[in-house]
Amino acid sequence: MPIRLKKLIGTILLVALVIIYALIASAIAVTRLAEYGPTVHLLFFLFSGLLWVLPAMGIIKWLILEPRPKA
């Protein structure tokens, strides 16, 4: 796969991941955390704010992998 195409796909995947993850985390916070106190909110947003990094690391790792040499 050409490197430019790979970077384009990776960029689109990262942007989509951030948007979808933010929407899901916000929906969970609004529906599930309304009756809880500020400590639970802090813990939820701390955890969910760091959790998106795991799939993003996978995408970035895929982006920096060297292409296989053509035989």
Side-chain angles (χ1 to χ4, degrees), residues 6 20 39 51 55 69:
K6 193 174 186 179
I20 292 168
T39 305
L51 189 63

Side-chain angles (χ1 to χ4, degrees), residues 13-37:
L13 285 174
L14 282 171
V15 170
L17 169 72
V18 170
I19 291 171
I20 292 168
Y21 187 83
L23 290 173
I24 291 171
S26 297
I28 291 171
V30 167
T31 59
R32 303 285 180 163
L33 299 179
E35 63 272 358
Y36 294 105

